[in-house]
Amino acid sequence: MTFIGNEISSILSKNRNKICDSWKKQLIIQSRTLVELIGLNQVEKITQEISDSLIKAVKTINTHEHEDYKKLEKQVAELSREMSLRNITPTETAQLIFFIKDAIFPILQEDYGQNSIIADYILFINSIVDKLGLLTFQIYLESREELIKEQQRAFMDVSVPVVKVWKDIVLIPLVGMLDSSRTQLMMETMLSAIEDTQSKVAIIDISGIPIVDSLVARHLITAASAAKLMGAECLITGIRAKISQTLVQLGVDLSGIVTKTTLADGLQLALQMTEQKLI
Amino acid sequence: MVDIPILMIGKNVVVPIQTELNDIGAKKMQEDVLYKIEKTTASGLVIDVSAVSIIDSFLGRILVDTSKMAKLMGTESVIVGMKKEVVLTLIQLGLRMENLNTALNLEDGLNLLRKLQETLHGKISG
């Protein structure tokens, strides 16, 4: 079989505007939400750029210099990244690319008018196979996401241990990043522990939290006031020099909460507060 | 409407709220408690909310206000036995209820009152 890239490329470049136009139209008809999401101007830009690159790439794809094709690949990769950042599903992005076929095939068919029936057949099968391909893709993705969610759940289960370290004293050692959902979970487990054990002091140890920003600080204040409302005192330990520096620079006011540098200090204070002595 | 029992233990008024309170009930509770303090010149007030599973912003404010009012009459007060769910709702509502004395249970509440009264006495005599 002789290389047909040149021929196709010349046909396509003759009809370049027509391809861009009908591709755009296809997109507007078949994936309206996508077009609405990224805007008509952006769609126009994408169709034009990729059509141009494709026309160039088709010409050289069978020779040793793949540079044009590499450029096309790069463009599509960039587009995919952008789409995923905008929370557009990979299926939709793939469809966006696939619709160029609907723009190109009629033009090729027009050129080889005599074989139009075969072209029709190919087109027909093609659209079905495309859909199947997309389906496998989507299912794979869904199962991966399911796995990630499950792991997140598993992590959540072990993420907030509450330890009763002494009579009337519970300890919550925190490790890793503290976000809103974890704070919520932490508060719930802490309050249940206080309720169940009727502990008078709760120590939250943040030595394992790498960065304490204003958001984390706010979460900690919330947790402390929750413990206070129940009638327990809340100590925060593990405030290192770096953390205290950032907190003051951020203007976070922790003055209502008792804080200590080390857990040992905190424990000692807690023992004093509950009028207990180590023998 | 059920009347909220108001008891005396030593020199302290103890209010165990055993039912869910609506706005009117809460207002009435506040009035009754303050009259009781006036009549008995009690030195402490304990409001036990361990049986209450819903504290909305209104009831929350009533509790804070009652405690402030009692303070004006020279009576220290403590809210005891707040449930976990109640605390979470209050926090979500943004009600921190600062300046409110709280304790885990009635016993702790009475102990806290004793301590508060002692420090007060210490201030006066010292």
Side-chain angles (χ1 to χ4, degrees):
Chain A
M1 198 171 128
T2 51
F3 179 56
I4 53 170
N6 278 331
E7 224 169 311
I8 292 177
S9 180
S10 75
I11 298 165
L12 293 183
S13 65
K14 251 188 282 169
N15 295 294
R16 184 248 183 205
N17 288 339
K18 219 163 145 190
I19 291 171
C20 292
D21 227 42
S22 85
W23 188 9
K24 200 176 79 194
K25 267 185 206 143
Q26 278 297 330
L27 284 173
I28 291 169
I29 296 164
Q30 306 223 36
S31 48
R32 176 174 285 277
T33 47
L34 180 85
V35 175
E36 273 168 6
L37 219 62
I38 61 175
L40 205 58
N41 282 340
Q42 189 69 20
V43 171
E44 205 157 312
K45 199 175 142 235
I46 291 168
T47 53
Q48 275 167 12
E49 276 177 7
I50 291 184
S51 301
D52 284 344
S53 297
L54 181 73
I55 291 167
K56 252 195 228 144
V58 164
K59 200 189 275 184
T60 52
I61 200 158
N62 226 12
T63 65
H64 286 299
E65 35 184 324
H66 288 306
E67 262 162 46
D68 285 324
Y69 180 70
K70 285 235 172 75
K71 194 181 151 217
L72 179 65
E73 261 186 343
K74 226 165 114 188
Q75 265 178 341
V76 173
E78 191 57 45
L79 178 74
S80 308
R81 239 192 303 280
E82 208 178 299
M83 293 292 174
S84 82
L85 284 180
R86 290 190 191 203
N87 269 334
I88 291 165
T89 65
T91 315
E92 278 175 313
T93 311
Q95 265 172 343
L96 185 150
I97 302 293
F98 281 163
F99 281 142
I100 198 177
K101 290 195 291 193
D102 290 339
I104 289 175
F105 285 164
I107 285 162
L108 293 180
Q109 197 180 346
E110 221 172 86
D111 211 79
Y112 296 87
Q114 60 272 36
N115 286 334
S116 66
I117 291 178
I118 292 182
D120 275 343
Y121 287 175
I122 291 170
L123 236 101
F124 181 71
I125 293 294
N126 199 26
S127 72
I128 294 173
V129 174
D130 276 359
K131 266 185 206 147
L132 288 179
L134 281 178
L135 185 69
T136 62
F137 186 53
Q138 199 179 334
I139 298 294
Y140 172 76
L141 217 70
E142 273 168 16
S143 59
R144 290 309 272 197
E145 257 165 31
E146 190 62 34
L147 192 73
I148 291 171
K149 270 193 202 134
E150 215 158 273
Q151 279 169 348
Q152 255 171 353
R153 231 173 293 138
F155 172 70
M156 275 299 203
D157 285 342
V158 296
S159 76
V160 189
V162 178
V163 193
K164 182 170 174 171
V165 280
W166 215 265
K167 183 175 167 278
D168 289 343
I169 302 170
V170 284
L171 167 68
I172 301 110
L174 293 176
V175 176
M177 292 306 290
L178 196 63
D179 56 9
S180 307
S181 58
R182 240 185 115 190
T183 312
Q184 188 68 25
L185 188 74
M186 178 197 86
M187 271 205 303
E188 275 172 41
T189 28
M190 179 182 75
L191 294 181
S192 320
I194 293 174
E195 212 174 41
D196 294 345
T197 61
Q198 293 283 299
S199 297
K200 293 188 181 65
V201 181
I203 305 175
I204 300 178
D205 183 59
I206 60 165
S207 334
I209 296 182
I211 304 155
V212 177
D213 53 11
S214 50
L215 200 70
V216 174
R218 205 164 60 224
H219 289 326
L220 290 174
I221 293 171
T222 318
S225 12
K228 186 83 200 14
L229 271 179
M230 279 207 93
E233 284 298 326
C234 190
L235 308 181
I236 296 179
T237 65
I239 310 232
R240 286 161 279 150
K242 190 92 201 107
I243 291 177
S244 84
Q245 257 174 313
T246 25
L247 284 176
V248 172
Q249 273 156 10
L250 285 167
V252 176
D253 183 23
L254 282 177
S255 59
I257 306 169
V258 184
T259 49
K260 288 278 175 204
T261 311
T262 59
L263 179 58
D265 284 348
L267 193 59
Q268 206 154 38
L269 181 66
L271 286 167
Q272 264 174 37
M273 285 163 90
T274 53
E275 289 160 1
Q276 298 180 79
K277 260 194 198 132
L278 274 178
I279 306 162
Chain B
M1 198 171 52
V2 194
D3 266 347
I4 304 296
I6 299 177
L7 320 168
M8 288 294 289
I9 297 183
K11 289 231 39 151
N12 297 321
V13 174
V14 177
V15 188
I17 303 178
Q18 297 291 353
T19 54
E20 303 300 327
L21 277 181
N22 58 12
D23 291 3
I24 302 162
K27 268 273 183 207
K28 184 161 182 307
M29 189 263 312
Q30 184 183 58
E31 237 166 74
D32 291 351
V33 167
L34 292 172
Y35 275 123
K36 185 81 172 176
I37 293 174
E38 190 191 291
K39 247 196 302 189
T40 58
T41 60
S43 56
L45 165 66
V46 181
I47 302 180
D48 182 2
V49 291
S50 55
V52 182
S53 47
I54 300 162
I55 293 185
D56 58 2
S57 52
F58 187 82
L59 186 52
R61 225 188 56 219
I62 288 278
L63 290 175
V64 175
D65 285 354
T66 312
S67 145
K68 276 185 197 160
M69 290 161 185
K71 177 91 187 155
L72 278 178
M73 297 168 79
T75 306
E76 293 289 342
S77 49
V78 182
I79 311 281
V80 303
M82 231 180 254
K83 274 190 192 168
K84 175 188 131 193
E85 307 87 57
V86 170
V87 170
L88 285 171
T89 345
L90 285 176
I91 290 291
Q92 263 156 17
L93 285 171
L95 288 170
R96 294 285 160 80
M97 311 236 262
E98 269 130 21
N99 313 317
L100 193 72
N101 297 317
T102 46
L104 283 168
N105 47 46
L106 189 58
E107 194 189 338
D108 280 2
L110 289 169
N111 282 337
L112 179 61
L113 266 186
R114 213 182 41 240
K115 257 185 235 158
L116 287 171
Q117 283 153 6
E118 271 165 18
T119 50
L120 207 67
H121 274 293
K123 261 186 208 165
I124 294 163
S125 58

